[in-house]
Amino acid sequence: MDLRIFTEPQQGASYETLLKVAKATEDLGFDAFFRSDHYLRMGDADGLPGPTDAWITLAGLARETRRIRLGTLMTAGTFRLPGVLAIQVAQVDQMSGGRVELGLGAGWFEQEHKAYGIPFPKEKFGRLEEQLAIVTGLWATATGEEFSYDGTYYRLENSPALPKPAQGKVPVLVGGHGATRTPRLAAQYADEFNIPFASLEDSARQFGRVRAAAEAAGRKGDELVYSNALVACVGRNDAEVARRAAAIGREVDELKANGLAGSPAEVVDKIGRYAAIGSSRVYLQMLDLDDLDHLELISTQVQSQLN
């Protein structure tokens, strides 16, 4: 079971804070550092000092880290043109020595689009499908050849399809709860399927849909990695769990029901139940980015047991 650290910087985090968390992620033996792609806070957080851009952040971290994988859950398709995104991700992959992964989603938070003057199209899923085709198509085009695409939303003519990522293939993540179109897109384009903030029952059901879609597309269901994203709130005792829950504005019982909360033993047990339904990777949503002791506790008393 891979444990990855997943951050939500739009809630309030500077690049320096993210750098500290990424370095702790690496030093403590976690597999990867991922971040959301949002420009506006949600809920009661103050969002200070303001948003940071996902791919600018990852470019900086690419030069400041050496081992961990780096990526997004999920890059918003509404924020970037697919040809430009392919260039950005390939460049950051080169800067990292081949450690980047691209989670790509349709985009959903209308208010952040209004706040920063970003168009919010009505038909987002069709655009996402074309974006996945274009990004993966540009990367797969042999050097010296050209790539063209004539879609409903995007048109590329005689692109040199450069630059190329450092990796032979940048892993692509598709995720979500959709029952039909999401599994089909994952089966066609993804190396990993991720379901965010889902119960064991919902995760098992969605993993089954993706496996079936992959087999219908001529792939083996096991070709994909299946993963969960879950909020983490771990403590050495009940008081520490309660303190960490209060720091992120959540209730302990709710976190235990919907995330990975409680003692290290409780969290190890629950992760084991996700593993039993086919999940091999968990993205730990860390909402208090100043609490590096939380990361150390999970490393020494949760991750160590899983390994």
Side-chain angles (χ1 to χ4, degrees):
M1 175 65 73
D2 293 333
L3 293 187
R4 295 182 159 188
I5 300 304
F6 170 42
T7 62
E8 301 270 11
Q10 76 278 355
Q11 300 301 91
S14 66
Y15 173 74
E16 290 302 321
T17 297
L18 295 172
L19 177 59
K20 289 177 183 177
V21 175
K23 286 187 172 181
T25 297
E26 184 157 87
D27 293 343
L28 292 169
F30 293 103
D31 182 60
F33 174 95
F34 271 59
R35 61 156 291 165
S36 60
D37 187 22
H38 286 293
Y39 292 133
L40 194 66
R41 65 175 175 81
M42 302 169 197
D44 295 330
D46 60 25
L48 296 175
T52 51
D53 181 84
W55 285 101
I56 291 176
T57 296
L58 295 177
L61 298 180
R63 308 303 292 176
E64 298 277 3
T65 58
R66 293 293 175 265
R67 178 189 58 80
I68 51 173
R69 307 290 295 177
L70 300 166
T72 51
L73 280 182
M74 300 282 186
T75 290
T78 47
F79 290 174
R80 297 167 179 85
L81 297 171
V84 175
L85 179 61
I87 292 170
Q88 291 172 322
V89 177
Q91 181 179 1
V92 177
D93 194 53
Q94 292 175 359
M95 293 168 69
S96 72
R99 294 182 286 122
V100 159
E101 304 186 9
L102 171 64
L104 185 58
W108 61 271
F109 189 17
E110 185 173 7
Q111 185 55 43
E112 69 185 335
H113 294 73
K114 292 179 178 178
Y116 287 97
I118 303 167
F120 189 68
K122 181 178 180 180
E123 178 47 64
K124 293 179 286 297
F125 201 90
R127 291 175 182 271
L128 172 62
E129 185 164 8
E130 292 193 8
Q131 289 163 345
L132 285 163
I134 291 165
V135 171
T136 58
L138 286 166
W139 291 338
T141 300
T143 301
E145 297 183 3
E146 294 182 336
F147 176 84
S148 296
Y149 184 88
D150 189 8
T152 302
Y153 306 102
Y154 303 102
R155 180 180 176 87
L156 285 73
E157 295 184 10
N158 304 321
S159 172
L162 296 172
K164 300 300 184 193
Q167 300 175 81
K169 185 180 190 309
V170 172
V172 172
L173 290 74
V174 170
H177 294 258
T180 303
R181 294 192 297 177
T182 296
R184 178 178 60 79
L185 278 192
Q188 186 170 359
Y189 295 107
D191 301 283
E192 177 178 339
F193 176 78
N194 176 269
I195 185 164
F197 315 117
S199 68
L200 286 157
E201 295 75 17
D202 288 345
S203 298
R205 186 180 304 111
Q206 191 70 333
F207 290 166
R209 290 171 178 149
V210 174
R211 287 179 182 276
E215 290 166 3
R219 300 177 67 183
K220 294 181 179 179
D222 288 340
E223 284 184 29
L224 283 82
V225 172
Y226 296 87
S227 65
N228 290 85
L230 295 161
V231 63
C233 181
V234 189
R236 296 172 181 85
N237 50 52
D238 290 346
E240 192 167 79
V241 174
R243 175 176 63 78
R244 289 199 163 110
I248 60 174
R250 304 278 284 270
E251 297 293 331
V252 172
D253 289 346
E254 178 267 321
L255 287 168
K256 287 188 175 185
N258 299 314
L260 297 173
S263 69
E266 288 178 285
V267 170
V268 168
D269 177 72
K270 191 162 186 181
I271 290 174
R273 283 183 272 156
Y274 277 98
I277 63 165
S279 182
S280 62
R281 183 171 290 160
V282 173
Y283 294 81
L284 302 171
Q285 186 195 43
M286 310 301 293
L287 295 175
D288 184 355
L289 298 183
D290 293 317
D291 187 1
L292 297 184
D293 180 61
H294 195 190
L295 288 179
E296 184 173 4
L297 175 65
I298 294 170
S299 172
T300 58
Q301 298 194 34
V302 175
Q303 182 171 239
S304 60
Q305 294 189 60
L306 296 172
N307 291 339

